Amino acid sequence: MITTEQREQLRGWFAGRLPDGLFEELTEVTVDREEITVIGRIAAPRLAQDAPPAEREAAVTARIQEFRERTRETRMAVARDAEHRFRRKVSWGAVCDGERALFTHVAAPVMTRLRQPERQVLDTLIAGGVARSRSDALAWCVRLVQRHADDWLTELRDSLEHVQRVRAQGPDTEEVNDSRDDSSTGDAKEG
């Protein structure tokens, strides 16, 4: 977890570092232990007002793909700087005419132990065709909780930030920060 101030500093760094005109607007910068995801709004394609939905969808998909290819080198240069500075992988995405697309991003493995009733939930999702595997079913469950528990998760994150601020005021905070600085960095990822 990072604090609100650290999140604001991170967003500010990207707002200042991204070249003018890359995005119409920087819409989202999210961060966790492994990854920073940067999403910006790009111009919608020009279509007739009465364009059918299939045409609109194809045009938006093509616009996002064109943006991804055209800006790859620029985004990779920014990602290299950010990965060195923040010690996290950088992933990218775009919003175009209300459609959100993520480019290459981190899929971090998570190990967990589940009791039989919990495994049965996952197996039911597999049997019902909702998921291909227990891992896929567990990811589906997490997305479902995320969708329906935003208020609770926001309150929990705020509480965790308060705990971090209190911890930072205690003794031995320099030793903890020094051990974090020793972590290794990865290479920039193609976006």
Side-chain angles (χ1 to χ4, degrees):
M1 280 302 290
I2 67 170
T3 65
T4 299
E5 182 180 348
Q6 290 169 326
R7 191 174 296 112
E8 290 167 353
Q9 289 173 349
L10 185 76
R11 184 178 172 86
W13 186 88
F14 276 98
R17 176 62 177 83
L18 293 175
D20 289 341
L22 181 68
F23 294 120
E24 287 186 336
E25 176 186 12
L26 181 61
T27 59
E28 188 178 331
V29 177
T30 57
V31 62
D32 67 11
R33 285 189 229 175
E34 292 85 20
E35 176 180 31
I36 300 168
T37 303
V38 180
I39 300 175
R41 186 168 44 84
I42 61 175
R46 288 187 228 165
L47 297 170
Q49 282 187 319
D50 60 345
E55 181 180 338
R56 181 193 152 288
E57 183 180 337
V60 167
T61 299
R63 175 61 53 94
I64 291 170
Q65 185 62 35
E66 183 278 332
F67 170 82
R68 181 181 184 186
E69 293 169 8
R70 178 175 42 85
T71 63
R72 181 172 280 122
E73 292 301 318
T74 301
R75 290 181 295 104
M76 287 177 66
V78 172
R80 276 190 294 275
D81 290 350
E83 288 172 4
H84 177 73
R85 181 180 180 104
F86 301 111
R87 301 182 191 277
R88 291 173 173 88
K89 292 290 187 188
V90 176
S91 299
W92 299 90
V95 175
C96 181
D97 200 25
E99 296 296 320
R100 185 175 187 264
L102 290 177
F103 306 154
T104 305
H105 50 96
V106 174
V110 178
M111 179 100 164
T112 186
R113 295 182 185 276
L114 300 175
R115 300 192 189 288
Q116 187 179 37
E118 296 153 339
R119 294 190 310 267
Q120 287 174 335
V121 169
L122 301 181
D123 293 343
T124 301
L125 293 172
I126 294 166
V130 173
R132 295 180 312 263
S133 65
R134 283 182 172 174
S135 176
D136 197 29
L138 187 56
W140 184 89
C141 291
V142 169
R143 287 190 301 272
L144 181 66
V145 168
Q146 179 184 23
R147 188 175 303 134
H148 295 290
D150 281 340
D151 293 338
W152 181 81
L153 290 173
T154 298
E155 187 176 335
L156 181 60
R157 286 186 190 109
D158 291 345
S159 295
L160 289 171
E161 286 183 23
H162 177 72
V163 168
Q164 285 183 332
R165 283 193 300 274
V166 171
R167 279 187 186 150
Q169 296 171 1
D172 302 330
T173 56
E174 289 178 11
E175 290 176 20
V176 172
N177 288 334
D178 290 343
S179 68
R180 288 187 185 145
D181 289 344
D182 294 338
S183 63
S184 62
T185 61
D187 296 327
K189 178 183 0 174
E190 183 277 321

